[in-house]
Amino acid sequence: MNPYIIDTAPFKKQHITYVAISFIPMVISYVLANKGYSMNISPALNDTIKWLFLGVTFGVSFLLSGRQKARLKIIQSLPSFDEQVAQYQKLYDQRLLTTALIGVAASVCYALTARRIFLIFAIFDLVILLIMYPNKTIFRRELNNPEITFK
């Protein structure tokens, strides 16, 4: 019997929740912008919003990426597999939350400005969320344990 079994139900539930959190605002902003309900703001403010969004997004991503790598090393060094899974679930939740929030922010920016670049960012974040669906390859690589199986 393999002692390295992960119950994926909580991970899948988290994943579906964050996909919905990212998808629903994207659809709403798309409908609003296409119906002409976006704010008609000056081109200078429009560009400011774009560059501010890009700067904040890349800055937050850079900072969180370094922190998550450090946390992952700490998680891998934990003695108990159950502790590793519990801590990894928190890390996984943080990754999903960050990606979903960036997607929601892009959707809000699209609703405000009607610039397609924000819709593209929202779609990109949704694709990233879909790729993050829990699977054995990711768990085995990130927990550094090739014997992991799913319940």
Side-chain angles (χ1 to χ4, degrees):
M1 176 152 160
N2 188 352
Y4 303 113
I5 298 174
I6 295 178
D7 181 15
T8 58
F11 290 94
K12 290 178 181 179
K13 183 179 176 184
Q14 285 176 307
H15 185 265
I16 290 170
T17 301
Y18 286 115
V19 167
I21 287 171
S22 185
F23 181 73
I24 292 169
M26 183 177 63
V27 171
I28 291 170
S29 68
Y30 178 78
V31 170
L32 289 174
N34 279 343
K35 295 285 183 183
Y37 293 114
S38 64
M39 295 179 69
N40 195 4
I41 57 178
S42 70
L45 184 57
N46 206 338
D47 282 341
T48 302
I49 291 172
K50 178 183 79 171
W51 290 111
L52 183 66
F53 173 79
L54 289 174
V56 169
T57 299
F58 288 121
V60 167
S61 297
F62 181 75
L63 290 174
L64 288 180
S65 174
R67 286 182 58 201
Q68 289 176 356
K69 285 181 185 178
R71 276 185 65 192
L72 192 57
K73 287 183 181 181
I74 292 170
I75 291 169
Q76 289 172 349
S77 68
L78 292 173
S80 166
F81 181 70
D82 292 333
E83 288 178 49
Q84 287 179 349
V85 172
Q87 291 301 315
Y88 182 74
Q89 186 171 1
K90 292 176 185 176
L91 178 68
Y92 183 76
D93 185 59
Q94 182 186 14
R95 285 180 180 168
L96 292 175
L97 176 64
T98 303
T99 306
L101 287 178
I102 291 172
V104 169
S107 297
V108 168
C109 289
Y110 179 62
L112 292 175
T113 65
R115 290 193 70 169
R116 297 268 177 186
I117 188 75
F118 293 118
L119 181 62
I120 291 169
F121 275 113
I123 292 170
F124 177 76
D125 285 323
L126 183 62
V127 169
I128 295 297
L129 274 174
L130 292 172
I131 291 172
M132 293 172 71
Y133 189 78
N135 64 59
K136 288 180 190 174
T137 305
I138 291 174
F139 282 101
R140 287 175 178 169
R141 183 184 69 232
E142 294 202 336
L143 293 177
N144 199 20
N145 187 339
E147 299 176 16
I148 291 175
T149 58
F150 285 166
K151 199 182 231 186

